[in-house]
Amino acid sequence: MSDTQWTVYEVFHQQARGEPHVHVGSVHAPDAESGLILAKEQFGRRQACVNMWVVRADAITASAYADADIFQHGTDKSYREAFGYETTRRAREIGDSQEI
Amino acid sequence: MAVALSETELTGDRRSAIIDLLYRLADDSLIIGHRESEWTGLGPILEEDIAFSSMAQDKMGHALAFYTLLHELAEPNPNQLAFLRSASEFRCCAFVALESFADGQQSPPESLFNNPVRDRLVSQGDWALSCTRQFLFSEADAVRMAALETSSYEPLAQLARKFRGELKYHTMHGRMLIERLGAATEESRRRMSASVDTLFPYALGMFETTKWDKLLEAEGLAPAECTLCERWLEEVGPRLRAAGLEIPKNAEPVCGGRIGRHPAQLARLVDDIQQVRRLDPAASW
Amino acid sequence: MVQFTPQPHDKPDDPGYEERLVAFEARVARGDKVEPGDWMPLDYRKQLIRLIQVHANSEICGALPEGAWIPHAPSLQRKLALVAKVQDEVGHAQLLYRAAETLGKPREELIQELIDGKAKFSNVFHYPAETWADVCVIAWLIDAAAIVNQTMMAEGSYGPYSRALKRICYEEAFHLTHGYDMCITLATGTKMQRDMLQDAVSRWWKPIMMFHGPSDKESKHTVQLMRWRIKLKTNDEQRQIFLKKYVPKMFNLGLKVPEEWDLRLDEETGKWLYNEPDWAEFISVVRGNGPVSEQRLRTRRLAHEHGLWVREALEAAAGGRPVPMPTAQRNRVAVEN
């Protein structure tokens, strides 16, 4: 049996200028241009949208869920974060009462 | 900016001309929207089904807006206009009323819904006719409404500007299909070319002249139909040719809709639309 | 969405299956979502495909009875809303088939199985929508019953299905409100309208009572489906949630449930009691012996077949395959037709 359901394109939409493009789903489409036209109604008929991307699903390279542990921290990485510092307490101690 | 004509200033022929224009716009929109909505749930592929339904909704939404303008000019309310007029009172062109069946289907349709029109669409409908019509209509719609954006009748000009985005999408959709289907396979070429042959004379009928043409043009209300038709041909001609489709030579426009002379298909359609409402026209539905 | 990749050792007798299963079930029990690239038991995958496929099939089959009423919707507002609702159903089928595809079965195959009568669709769409009031009852009560089911399923363990259901539930909220609005209009309308609505409720009550599936005493799949969080509530629990919320609303509109159901509230337990539906009949209906099962499948088949030339042509246009030259054949073919 031949598959006549075309190619899968992943769909990303941007709700407003300045916002990021967010993945909203995928469509079957014969080519990218018609993919956009078809995705517009399946994923843009209710929510605000100013821009839409489609990309062939097979063009995406994804990491494996089995490798999710590569994103975990083996040691304390709070030195990368603002909350990793106690400047408010320390500043008070030296008489600085302003917010940083 | 043009000074807006308020309703009270509208009198005499100018008023009649605007009312006639609004009926033509409203009825064309309702009937094409109705025809396109018939495919909801039956489209050739899910994504296309969804897109077609959206365009149907857009057109019926436009109809509602035009009927609302008419009601503001003391005509009956939108639902009375859509559901309680007889077919001969409609002012749509025959092009939008055509059923989407290929000619020459003699055998009775399969019994699927206990509804002859639905049964026929499902078992004998030809989507090529509908998608060719969608292309030809939306190009005309876009040309017409672009011109109306500067109409001296401000309420209409406002609507035209509001509809611009939706109509742009309709033309993008129609062009996408025509470009591809016209020359893709032997079968698609045959179907699309037969559809263009069948539909073209009716499509020309979208631009049937009316007795109000001169007045509408002179008052800056709307361009003459022949002007719109030329602009439309400039849009559709090259696109059809690029898709390997030919405009039939010497096609004679099928007219009459603008004066209430319609094919029997419109009467059937109006019956269909009004079937439930007429069970009790006074009730709220 | 990441595509399905075949996972090794996913059958009970495979080496290492047990350890993988323990880890899998622990993840599911924690409330973690399963994603397409993950290892999952073959049976989990099969059950999910079956479930999502039935759901998707029900959406496109559900579009048929309601779609047939689009031409007759009695006001412009109703007509617009009905087209939008049926469009949503087609859209839901699109989302759901896509979710099923992530489990390794292509959409073409999923749809073909429906058309061939090898995959089921919801019992309620095996019945005809006879009057406009049927459309109102479907939109209100059947969508309400569906929302009970889908809200629960949205919390299920499979990520892509759960994501699709969140959007579906959001859209169904409009269907339900619109359906309720239509029923209120008929219930507060003329005598003819009220009778029409009551007739529709009476006609649809049996399929509605059967909608959530066989009673827990008879449902064979439930235990395992619940352990894997494919399902989170039993059929009877779902039915009770539906009855609790909607029967009072029906009564409030002056609607009655046919007497043979002996539907009554047990004041002590807060549960609705009723005469058990004939589950053999339910099984027979979903196997394709309902009043309009055949017409539904026939309609789907025709729509699918009539659309084939479009799908093929657009595929060919995209693939840049050589297009046969227009020849005199064109006329010949036209004559044959």
Side-chain angles (χ1 to χ4, degrees):
Chain A
M1 182 187 58
S2 73
D3 191 332
T4 62
Q5 302 284 326
W6 305 333
T7 306
V8 175
Y9 287 82
E10 299 296 340
V11 183
F12 300 79
H13 84 161
Q14 184 188 31
Q15 288 205 332
R17 283 171 182 267
E19 296 296 318
H21 284 72
V22 177
H23 182 243
V24 282
S26 38
V27 289
H28 288 244
D31 53 69
E33 192 197 346
S34 29
L36 266 181
I37 289 176
L38 298 176
K40 186 260 173 187
E41 288 309 328
Q42 173 63 330
F43 295 103
R45 69 178 187 270
R46 280 196 172 82
Q47 285 189 310
C49 180
V50 293
N51 197 252
M52 193 169 256
W53 293 345
V54 293
V55 57
R56 278 185 75 113
D58 58 13
I60 292 175
T61 307
S63 65
Y65 280 101
D67 295 336
D69 48 1
I70 65 172
F71 300 102
Q72 282 167 11
H73 295 155
T75 59
D76 178 11
K77 298 286 197 298
S78 62
Y79 60 84
R80 289 173 175 167
E81 310 291 342
F83 64 72
Y85 297 86
E86 296 190 315
T87 41
T88 309
R89 178 183 61 77
R90 299 191 64 204
R92 269 204 203 102
E93 283 172 10
I94 58 167
D96 179 359
S97 59
Q98 283 183 318
E99 291 285 321
I100 353 170
Chain B
M1 198 181 133
V3 180
L5 297 169
S6 82
E7 295 148 39
T8 48
E9 290 170 71
L10 281 176
T11 49
D13 279 357
R14 192 166 61 185
R15 181 188 178 86
S16 307
I18 289 175
I19 287 179
D20 188 66
L21 172 65
L22 288 173
Y23 269 110
R24 285 184 272 137
L25 292 167
D27 291 344
D28 273 2
S29 300
L30 176 69
I31 303 301
I32 188 104
H34 178 97
R35 282 290 181 228
E36 288 176 352
S37 75
E38 287 177 324
W39 286 104
T40 300
L42 303 170
I45 192 160
L46 299 172
E47 284 81 359
E48 183 49 52
D49 195 316
I50 295 162
F52 227 72
S53 298
S54 276
M55 294 188 294
Q57 287 170 54
D58 291 345
K59 285 318 296 170
M60 292 193 285
H62 298 172
L64 177 55
F66 292 130
Y67 287 135
T68 304
L69 287 193
L70 281 165
H71 189 44
E72 285 164 8
L73 294 172
E75 295 293 296
N77 72 39
N79 282 320
Q80 288 167 328
L81 291 174
F83 292 89
L84 300 175
R85 277 182 303 159
S86 67
S88 63
E89 291 172 273
F90 278 74
R91 289 294 174 267
C92 52
C93 53
F95 180 57
V96 293
L98 292 178
E99 290 165 351
S100 306
F101 313 127
D103 278 343
Q105 289 276 10
Q106 297 303 327
S107 56
E110 293 185 39
S111 176
L112 297 160
F113 285 98
N114 201 18
N115 171 338
V117 178
R118 188 79 179 166
D119 287 350
R120 191 145 181 233
L121 184 77
V122 174
S123 49
Q124 299 169 350
D126 184 356
W127 198 76
L129 281 169
S130 288
C131 105
T132 306
R133 172 164 57 189
Q134 190 268 311
F135 165 73
L136 294 171
F137 184 86
S138 66
E139 294 292 342
D141 208 5
V143 161
R144 187 182 294 276
M145 295 309 283
L148 290 175
E149 285 190 24
T150 52
S151 167
S152 61
Y153 186 53
E154 188 50 29
L156 181 56
Q158 274 176 16
L159 282 189
R161 291 193 288 270
K162 248 170 85 175
F163 297 166
R164 190 193 301 151
E166 289 180 353
L167 295 179
K168 187 197 272 183
Y169 176 76
H170 296 191
T171 56
M172 285 166 77
H173 177 273
R175 290 171 190 179
M176 181 265 281
L177 287 175
I178 287 290
E179 261 172 35
R180 288 161 175 73
L181 292 176
T185 62
E186 186 64 39
E187 184 175 12
S188 76
R189 183 194 300 281
R190 174 178 62 77
R191 284 176 180 269
M192 297 305 282
S193 136
S195 299
V196 172
D197 289 351
T198 305
L199 292 175
F200 213 81
Y202 291 94
L204 288 169
M206 287 189 283
F207 307 100
E208 176 179 349
T209 47
T210 74
K211 63 174 177 174
W212 302 112
D213 261 25
K214 285 206 180 72
L215 187 151
L216 287 168
E217 193 183 15
E219 302 252 342
L221 290 160
E225 292 297 317
C226 57
T227 311
L228 291 173
C229 186
E230 277 164 30
R231 287 183 203 164
W232 173 75
L233 282 168
E234 281 165 22
E235 289 292 343
V236 297
R239 291 178 197 285
L240 288 170
R241 276 192 294 279
L245 297 165
E246 286 159 40
I247 294 178
K249 290 192 181 64
N250 310 322
E252 281 297 315
V254 179
C255 295
R258 307 307 189 192
I259 51 170
R261 284 211 319 266
H262 300 291
Q265 298 179 350
L266 183 75
R268 283 202 289 276
L269 182 152
V270 167
D271 276 353
D272 245 20
I273 291 186
Q274 301 182 346
Q275 189 189 88
V276 175
R277 184 85 183 198
R278 284 196 185 272
L279 292 175
D280 187 344
S284 160
W285 289 93
Chain C
M1 226 177 263
V2 177
Q3 290 294 333
F4 165 77
T5 40
Q7 297 292 322
H9 313 311
D10 58 356
K11 293 180 285 303
D13 293 334
D14 290 342
Y17 176 85
E18 278 307 318
E19 296 85 76
R20 289 170 195 265
L21 181 68
V22 168
F24 174 84
E25 292 193 339
R27 155 176 297 155
V28 168
R30 279 200 303 276
D32 261 11
K33 299 285 181 189
V34 178
E35 293 289 347
D38 289 336
W39 184 90
M40 61 187 87
L42 178 65
D43 204 32
Y44 174 86
R45 198 155 68 79
K46 281 186 169 168
Q47 296 276 18
L48 261 173
I49 292 177
R50 181 187 64 88
L51 196 83
I52 302 174
Q53 185 181 19
V54 170
H55 189 174
N57 292 346
S58 303
E59 297 280 359
I60 46 172
C61 290
L64 299 177
E66 293 177 278
W69 280 93
I70 289 173
H72 318 300
S75 77
L76 289 166
Q77 294 78 2
R78 296 289 185 228
K79 203 171 168 78
L80 284 165
L82 186 60
V83 180
K85 176 186 195 274
V86 181
Q87 175 189 42
D88 282 349
E89 275 149 17
V90 178
H92 297 171
Q94 196 271 356
L95 297 172
L96 292 163
Y97 283 126
R98 188 69 205 112
E101 279 186 312
T102 65
L103 292 158
K105 200 163 188 174
R107 187 163 91 181
E108 181 91 25
E109 222 175 299
L110 293 162
I111 292 177
Q112 194 61 47
E113 285 181 357
L114 165 69
I115 291 170
D116 294 342
K118 291 181 195 155
K120 297 190 178 73
F121 59 97
S122 173
N123 73 305
V124 288
F125 301 121
H126 292 259
Y127 295 84
E130 292 176 20
T131 70
W132 172 250
D134 292 40
V135 177
C136 304
V137 170
I138 293 174
W140 182 32
L141 294 176
I142 290 185
D143 279 59
I147 287 178
V148 168
N149 175 262
Q150 290 164 7
T151 313
M152 164 204 72
M153 302 284 253
E155 301 304 317
S157 61
Y158 190 57
Y161 189 30
S162 161
R163 286 192 283 279
L165 283 170
K166 289 207 166 110
R167 162 146 170 213
I168 290 172
C169 286
Y170 170 80
E171 294 180 348
E172 294 272 355
F174 138 64
H175 302 181
L176 176 67
T177 317
H178 177 241
Y180 193 25
D181 190 69
M182 291 193 291
C183 286
I184 292 173
T185 300
L186 293 185
T188 55
T190 64
K191 172 149 194 327
M192 183 263 292
Q193 288 175 312
R194 293 196 305 274
D195 291 348
M196 196 180 180
L197 181 63
Q198 180 60 59
D199 285 350
V201 168
S202 302
R203 252 198 316 278
W204 281 90
W205 194 251
K206 181 170 70 178
I208 287 172
M209 285 300 286
M210 291 178 170
F211 179 83
H212 292 102
S215 126
D216 297 349
K217 284 165 254 161
E218 316 207 10
S219 184
K220 53 181 180 182
H221 295 300
T222 302
V223 174
Q224 192 180 50
L225 291 180
M226 289 183 73
R227 192 169 73 239
W228 285 345
R229 290 178 69 85
I230 290 175
K231 199 166 166 177
L232 288 94
K233 286 191 169 66
T234 69
N235 296 350
D236 283 338
E237 284 169 348
Q238 293 177 55
R239 207 168 357 254
Q240 281 299 329
I241 295 173
F242 167 77
L243 294 171
K244 239 180 230 174
K245 186 151 180 200
Y246 293 96
V247 171
K249 287 181 195 289
M250 288 169 57
F251 289 172
N252 192 42
L253 289 185
L255 293 167
K256 292 185 186 72
V257 167
E259 277 178 19
E260 68 263 26
W261 289 93
D262 194 18
L263 184 72
R264 63 214 181 273
L265 184 66
D266 180 338
E267 300 284 355
E268 264 178 41
T269 60
K271 276 194 175 171
W272 286 90
L273 306 174
Y274 47 82
N275 289 339
E276 201 62 36
D278 176 356
W279 293 114
E281 183 184 332
F282 169 83
I283 303 283
S284 165
V285 166
V286 295
R287 282 190 182 152
N289 304 309
V292 294
S293 311
E294 248 177 77
Q295 287 98 312
R296 293 279 181 264
L297 288 188
R298 185 80 194 123
T299 302
R300 266 305 348 138
R301 171 185 286 281
L302 285 166
H304 194 67
E305 286 172 359
H306 289 184
L308 182 64
W309 73 271
V310 181
R311 298 193 298 278
E312 282 181 347
L314 291 179
E315 177 88 53
R321 278 182 234 158
V323 176
M325 289 300 291
T327 57
Q329 269 201 338
R330 196 183 110 194
N331 296 326
R332 190 174 58 77
V333 178
V335 169
E336 275 173 8
N337 261 19

